[in-house]
Amino acid sequence: METSKVIHAIYTDDDVLMSAVKRVKAEKYHIDEIFTPFPVHGLDKAMGLAPTRLAITSFIYGSIGLVFSIWLMNFIMIEDWPQDIGGKPSFSYLENSPAFVPIMFELTVFFAAHLMVITFYLRSKLWPFKKAENPDLRTTDDHFLMEISIHNNQDELVNLLKETGAVEINIVEKEEAH
């Protein structure tokens, strides 16, 4: 394990944090991570993060659910065990498709929701018994933390972060796994 120095700049207001992020990015520094107690609108764009593809995966998962529901209902109600329910004989899937619409909708939503949650957890590397990576517990309550790696520029970074309105600046040794 290697250790490296990082600066933790703590802010108490999301608007001050947003302007600080814009200023730090304008000065060509790379922000490693930002910890916030709630989602801050526009922070991803200010940091220059790529847009999420979770909506695309949601559409794909919903389509899988729809195809699965059509296959399942056709197999169960038409091929495997056809029944005359309420005077509606099971001659073909298309003749009975209006009765299957609620099931198609529910399985589409079920697959999209559950597979999106699983994808989000895997993509975020969240799993049971994972050790928390939050460097300061105050960021779960009312503080915002910006983490920036130091590369022989500690004094300039500290001065810049003070100018942006940081209420506290800490230099921390961070362990990196390789």
Side-chain angles (χ1 to χ4, degrees), residues 27-134:
E27 297 286 333
K28 305 290 188 224
Y29 289 106
H30 175 70
I31 299 171
D32 294 336
E33 190 66 71
I34 295 182
F35 297 89
T36 65
F38 53 83
V40 178
H41 181 69
L43 189 58
D44 52 344
K45 284 188 176 59
M47 286 183 63
L49 299 177
T52 180
R53 294 183 301 256
L54 200 55
I56 296 168
T57 60
S58 173
F59 177 77
I60 292 169
Y61 296 152
S63 299
I64 292 169
L66 179 64
V67 169
F68 178 75
S69 68
I70 291 170
W71 172 82
L72 184 70
M73 290 179 297
N74 185 57
F75 177 75
I76 291 173
M77 299 298 293
I78 307 301
E79 295 175 17
D80 185 42
W81 196 346
Q83 299 178 33
D84 187 349
I85 301 173
K88 298 178 187 172
S90 298
F91 294 131
S92 74
Y93 182 84
L94 285 177
E95 289 176 328
N96 292 326
S97 60
F100 297 152
V101 169
I103 300 167
M104 291 188 302
F105 172 77
E106 292 299 333
L107 279 176
T108 299
V109 171
F110 179 86
F111 271 67
H114 285 79
L115 291 175
M116 266 190 352
V117 168
I118 291 168
T119 300
F120 174 76
Y121 283 151
L122 291 174
R123 185 72 177 97
S124 301
K125 297 179 182 141
L126 293 173
W127 42 77
F129 312 111
K130 182 177 188 305
K131 185 178 177 262
E133 297 176 2
N134 193 349

